[in-house]
């Protein structure tokens, strides 16, 4: 079982010619709603690939007692995610306000709501004794995620931590704890450099050097996603494995990183060697960019031709 501890959002999305700058107003034809939240996206990505395979997926999160919350829960279940441990909280369901431009790039503001009420105590003890991997991100309180990571470590469960979005208020001591509790740190180029800077390391803007330094100093394997250039995993011993991404013309890149994380977690839990797990994740993330919405384009096991 893959256990995802993280955020659940409803995404309100407007397509625009170009994303508004501060003080500017831009017009969009209409707004659409899509299921989102980094945690839920990663759980759904993993569950779509897992269906028909040996691994199951469970989500720990919190939604509000409202229509968005009900819809998000139904969506998780319809995608085969065990949502039995998702709590109904006093605050409203998380909501993300997203604009997507003509190149498929986005800008996102998240109103966290119920996500910030998620607690380490929401994780059922059984989950961490049975899990093959724990998946974390940065949209719920980091102290709670850290506590769950430590529990996972004590149970011998590998921790996959997606350092997104980069927090503005993380202390150096906390990131050191986070990195030390992590087996696989998944970052994009900017997050790699930001994580190193928060850790107090001077690496300039060389994202591979930043990732190598984090791996060497704190021990996780650092996986850097680089869009059209694929992804690279750098081990604590400096070893490197690269996977390429197929050429695509993206419609919407929202959720591509989450697809990568969820599908990588699945490959890892299935026992794939790291190069194959990276390759499968790159392929899935590319496919996810071909459809509007974070989850709509996430591939199934069949569409990815996984046996
Ligand atoms: O990674 C994409 C996600 O970030 C969106 O679905 C949105 O909800 C935000 O959490």
């Amino acid at each position: 079982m893959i256990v995802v501890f993280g955020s659940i959002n409803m995404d309100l999305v407007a397509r625009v010619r170009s994303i508004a700058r501060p003080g500017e107003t831009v017009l969009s034809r209409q707004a659409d709603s899509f299921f989102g939240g980094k945690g839920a996206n990663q759980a759904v990505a993993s569950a779509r690939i897992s269906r028909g395979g040996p691994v199951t997926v469970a989500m720990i999160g919190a939604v509000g007692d409202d229509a968005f919350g009900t819809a998000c829960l139904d969506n998780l279940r319809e995608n085969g995610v065990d949502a039995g441990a998702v709590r109904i909280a006093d605050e409203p369901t998380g909501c993300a306000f997203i604009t997507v431009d003509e190149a498929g790039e986005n800008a996102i503001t998240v109103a966290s709501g119920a996500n910030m009420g998620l607690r380490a105590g929401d994780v059922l003890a059984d989950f961490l004794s049975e899990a093959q991997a724990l998946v974390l991100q940065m949209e719920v309180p980091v102290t709670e995620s850290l506590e769950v990571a430590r529990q996972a470590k004590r149970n011998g469960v590998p921790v996959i931590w997606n350092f997104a979005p980069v927090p503005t208020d993380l202390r150096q001591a906390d990131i050191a704890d986070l990195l030390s509790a992590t087996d696989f740190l998944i970052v994009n180029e900017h997050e790699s450099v930001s994580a190193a800077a928060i850790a107090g390391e001077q690496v300039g803007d060389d994202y591979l050097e930043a990732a190598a330094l984090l791996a060497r100093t704190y021990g996780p394997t650092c996986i850097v996603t680089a869009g059209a250039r694929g992804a690279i995993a750098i081990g604590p011993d400096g070893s490197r494995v690269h996977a390429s991404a197929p050429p695509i013309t993206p419609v919407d890149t929202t959720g591509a990183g989450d697809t990568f994380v969820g599908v990588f977690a699945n490959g890892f839990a299935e026992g794939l060697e790291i190069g194959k797990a990276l390759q499968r994740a790159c392929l899935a993330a590319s496919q996810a960019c071909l459809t509007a919405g974070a989850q709509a384009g996430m591939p199934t096991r069949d569409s990815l031709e996984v046996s």
Side-chain angles (χ1 to χ4, degrees), residues 52 70 79 91 96-97 157 161 166 202 224 235 257 268-269 272 288:
T70 306
N79 278 285
E91 291 194 70
F97 302 92
V157 176
W161 205 321
V166 174
Q202 309 293 323
V224 188
F268 172 76
L272 293 188

Side-chain angles (χ1 to χ4, degrees), residues 179-220:
L179 293 166
S180 306
T182 300
D183 294 281
F184 294 96
L185 182 78
I186 304 185
V187 285
N188 66 22
E189 297 140 280
H190 308 294
E191 291 154 1
S192 166
V193 169
S194 299
I198 298 170
E201 310 287 357
Q202 309 293 323
V203 288
D205 57 5
D206 185 332
Y207 64 90
L208 290 179
E209 194 191 325
L213 193 141
L214 293 172
R216 188 168 65 241
T217 310
Y218 300 96

Side-chain angles (χ1 to χ4, degrees), residues 29 78 152 209 247:
R29 195 60 182 254
E78 279 161 20
E209 194 191 325

Side-chain angles (χ1 to χ4, degrees), residues 7-11 35-39 41 95-96 98 106 108 110 139 254-258 294:
S7 58
I8 302 170
N9 294 333
M10 186 62 84
D11 291 352
F35 296 107
K38 291 191 190 300
N41 292 344
C95 203
I98 304 180
N106 62 44
I108 304 180
V110 179
E139 285 189 330
T254 311
D258 298 330

Side-chain angles (χ1 to χ4, degrees), residues 35 63-77 88 93:
F35 296 107
V63 294
D65 186 9
D66 48 35
F68 281 171
T70 306
C72 287
L73 273 174
D74 287 347
N75 173 62
L76 287 169
R77 293 190 186 109
I88 309 293
T93 300

Side-chain angles (χ1 to χ4, degrees), residues 128-129 131 133-134 136 145-159 181 183:
L128 289 185
S129 54
L134 169 71
L136 301 164
S145 295
L146 248 180
E147 177 52 30
V148 181
R150 289 192 188 108
Q151 287 174 22
K153 280 290 202 201
R154 284 198 290 275
N155 282 277
V157 176
V159 175
D183 294 281

